[in-house]
Amino acid sequence: MLADYHVHSLGHGERTQTFENLESFVVQAIKEGINEIGFADHDWVERNPDFSIFEELREKYPQIDILVGIEVDHIIGRNEEISSYIKDQPFDYVLGGVHHLGENKWMFDMLDYIEGYRGRNIDELYLEYFKTVEDAALSGLYQILPHLDLIKIFGFRPKKPVLSLMGNLLEIIKEKSLAIEINTGGLFKPVEEIYPGIEILQACFKMGIPITIGSDAHSYKEVGRSFDAACALAYKVGYRQIATFRQRELIMHDLDQKKNSPLIKGNIA
Ligand SMILES: [Zn+2]
Ligand SMILES: [Zn+2]
């Protein structure tokens, strides 16, 4: 089983939710040998998707499972507002992503705001970031925490080992029965590394925290991107199963490797 659970069919709002647009993502997923595609558009782009279009797609493409999730931009203090638009809609899963920090809601993952890193103590910044992710984990709103170490996006690295800056985050993730995500989008950012880093993923595996895999595709061409590397990393760490979701209930499946994956070639970096 291969599933891409992090697909933005609307990008950052450049496209609309038409059958043709969604279909291009589904067709690409089938080409990539993916068994399940999960759409998870940003909540600030679309909070009320038209679920009937996905039903039409399921009828036309029975060879692939098509799920509908959403990626919420988690901001401390907004749990009630977030709950109001996710609780009564039939999302299969909700990703709780942290993209803003602090009172002024600094968008630390946007190149336009990279200035915000200057003069900051990077260890303290990581502490603040992981505290915000912890708030997402504790909220009870989400099933999956995507790109767990997104704060590394521009290559600003802490002096201390990253695990020592995470506090009890992984224990909380375990206790709340959340899944985390192997997100290949980081390979195409300045950091050029999958989220999360291997030391975090190894710790998650040891604790029995389940994983999903996501491309963070913002265009149909990016669906399933670098899943060979994602599968190789998962295998290297020890994972043999991935989590899938139906109506926010977790179901485990055996993880397939992609053909020609670096693991099969025996050249894991
Ligand atoms: Zn995100
Ligand atoms: Zn995303």
Side-chain angles (χ1 to χ4, degrees):
M1 146 76 73
L2 269 182
D4 187 345
Y5 266 33
H6 197 142
V7 174
H8 295 286
S9 66
L10 307 176
H12 285 164
E14 307 87 67
R15 293 178 296 275
T16 53
Q17 205 199 18
T18 60
F19 184 89
E20 291 70 27
N21 176 41
L22 291 166
E23 184 177 37
S24 65
F25 287 79
V26 171
V27 168
Q28 184 71 14
I30 293 167
K31 272 191 211 159
E32 290 289 325
I34 285 165
N35 313 99
E36 281 193 13
I37 180 168
F39 290 96
D41 274 301
H42 292 291
D43 63 341
W44 52 270
V45 175
E46 180 59 80
R47 284 178 188 186
N48 303 99
D50 177 355
F51 287 88
S52 69
I53 301 183
F54 296 97
E55 208 42 65
E56 287 171 41
L57 279 164
R58 288 182 189 115
E59 278 165 31
K60 186 165 176 186
Y61 297 99
Q63 66 271 53
I64 184 167
D65 284 325
I66 299 168
L67 306 180
V68 189
I70 185 169
E71 180 177 15
V72 168
D73 216 339
H74 184 78
I75 293 173
I76 290 176
R78 289 206 186 158
N79 289 3
E80 254 179 62
E81 182 198 339
I82 293 165
S83 173
S84 72
Y85 58 81
I86 60 173
K87 70 173 192 294
D88 294 326
Q89 297 199 77
F91 291 117
D92 286 301
Y93 57 88
V94 182
L95 304 173
V98 170
H99 310 92
H100 294 83
L101 286 180
E103 301 245 311
N104 58 357
K105 300 185 183 60
W106 171 40
M107 294 168 76
F108 65 88
D109 65 335
M110 301 291 280
L111 192 57
D112 286 351
Y113 304 105
I114 196 168
E115 289 301 313
Y117 288 89
R118 288 194 216 299
R120 291 287 305 250
N121 175 312
I122 300 301
D123 286 37
E124 279 170 21
L125 187 57
Y126 271 62
L127 283 171
E128 183 187 353
Y129 169 76
F130 285 124
K131 267 284 162 209
T132 312
V133 178
E134 188 179 303
D135 190 76
L138 286 167
S139 71
L141 295 166
Y142 313 119
Q143 285 72 52
I144 305 165
L145 298 183
H147 46 60
L148 207 58
D149 59 356
L150 181 63
I151 190 72
K152 73 182 177 187
I153 184 167
F154 295 117
F156 294 100
R157 302 285 194 171
K159 289 202 178 78
K160 289 190 185 146
V162 68
L163 286 171
S164 74
L165 299 170
M166 295 178 80
N168 293 323
L169 176 58
L170 296 184
E171 286 77 9
I172 292 165
I173 289 171
K174 173 69 183 168
E175 197 183 300
K176 295 282 178 185
S177 303
L178 294 167
I180 62 134
E181 173 197 68
I182 295 186
N183 182 312
T184 56
L187 291 168
F188 306 92
K189 300 293 183 184
V191 69
E192 295 183 358
E193 190 181 282
I194 283 175
Y195 310 112
I198 190 162
E199 56 282 84
I200 297 175
L201 202 60
Q202 277 165 337
C204 289
F205 175 72
K206 276 192 200 132
M207 294 175 70
I209 294 170
I211 51 164
T212 60
I213 302 180
S215 62
D216 223 331
H218 280 69
S219 116
Y220 76 89
K221 294 179 195 137
E222 296 169 1
V223 173
R225 188 160 68 157
S226 294
F227 269 30
D228 50 355
C231 292
L233 179 64
Y235 255 73
K236 182 179 182 184
V237 166
Y239 282 102
R240 298 293 181 268
Q241 291 200 308
I242 52 167
T244 64
F245 289 88
R246 292 289 185 282
Q247 292 302 300
R248 307 187 206 185
E249 292 293 327
L250 179 147
I251 306 158
M252 296 301 290
H253 281 277
D254 288 340
L255 171 64
D256 289 349
Q257 288 185 64
K258 287 206 76 173
K259 282 195 194 89
N260 307 318
S261 81
L263 184 77
I264 291 167
K265 289 188 215 150
N267 64 340
I268 293 175

